[in-house]
Amino acid sequence: MIDAQAKAARARELFLEGYNCAQAIAGAYASELGMEEKRAVRLASGFGAGIGGMRGVCGALSGMMLVYGFVRGYDEAVDMEGKKRLYASEQAIAKRFTDTFEALHCRELLRRAGIEATSTPSERTPEYYKKRPCVRYIEACARILADALNEA
């Protein structure tokens, strides 16, 4: 059984250390990925800030799907039933996020917090962390993921 609170706390710590949202989730779930934390954060490094700073799907959500797909995904190209099950599960997981936050794109989530999204990484300062709502999304995704994996 995965401890949702412990995963949320570790994901929060990773984010506050300077890792991006996707890395925070992947790093917190490194053991489920069967890899060292350093390798997990590297795997997810390109998914931050809505994938490479393009402000698409929230990095925490992308990290969550990366882990979920690794643990519960399919690996045969012709496995249409596996693909259907995975996509349905991922859609249900994403709905849990949007039911709470009403959006799933980084740009929109930041806009709702009064932040103008840019495509370049921001310096991680105390002021950055005060303004950013990201830690809430990271903690939520870590908990949602634990629940989804525990249910499956």
Side-chain angles (χ1 to χ4, degrees):
M1 199 63 130
I2 297 169
D3 181 342
Q5 288 309 108
K7 294 297 185 182
R10 183 61 187 141
R12 177 188 182 88
E13 288 171 4
L14 289 167
F15 180 70
L16 295 176
E17 287 174 18
Y19 289 104
N20 72 39
C21 300
Q23 288 176 303
I25 298 296
Y29 280 87
S31 62
E32 286 74 16
L33 293 170
M35 59 183 70
E36 294 175 359
E37 191 173 273
K38 204 77 156 157
R39 184 167 222 150
V41 296
R42 180 180 287 258
L43 175 67
S45 62
F47 293 93
I51 302 180
M54 294 183 284
R55 304 299 176 180
V57 173
C58 169
L61 197 61
S62 293
M64 180 170 59
M65 296 306 180
L66 179 82
V67 173
Y68 190 84
F70 184 86
V71 176
R72 297 283 185 246
Y74 64 97
D75 54 19
E76 296 293 328
V78 295
D79 184 3
M80 288 305 294
E81 288 308 310
K83 184 183 280 192
K84 287 176 187 177
R85 270 192 311 276
L86 177 67
Y87 288 6
S89 294
E90 288 181 325
Q91 290 164 18
I93 291 167
K95 185 178 181 325
R96 292 181 194 183
F97 184 87
T98 56
D99 282 351
T100 302
F101 300 112
E102 299 178 346
L104 52 82
H105 288 93
C106 177
R107 182 175 311 285
E108 177 62 17
L109 291 164
L110 291 178
R111 187 192 64 73
R112 289 168 178 257
I115 297 169
E116 181 66 34
T118 65
S119 61
T120 56
S122 299
E123 197 65 37
R124 299 297 180 92
T125 64
E127 191 58 34
Y128 170 91
Y129 290 112
K130 282 182 193 172
K131 290 191 321 188
R132 291 287 171 156
C134 305
V135 76
R136 291 187 338 214
Y137 311 139
I138 290 162
E139 290 173 329
C141 284
R143 285 191 296 272
I144 291 166
L145 180 56
D147 291 345
L149 292 174
N150 287 334
E151 291 164 6

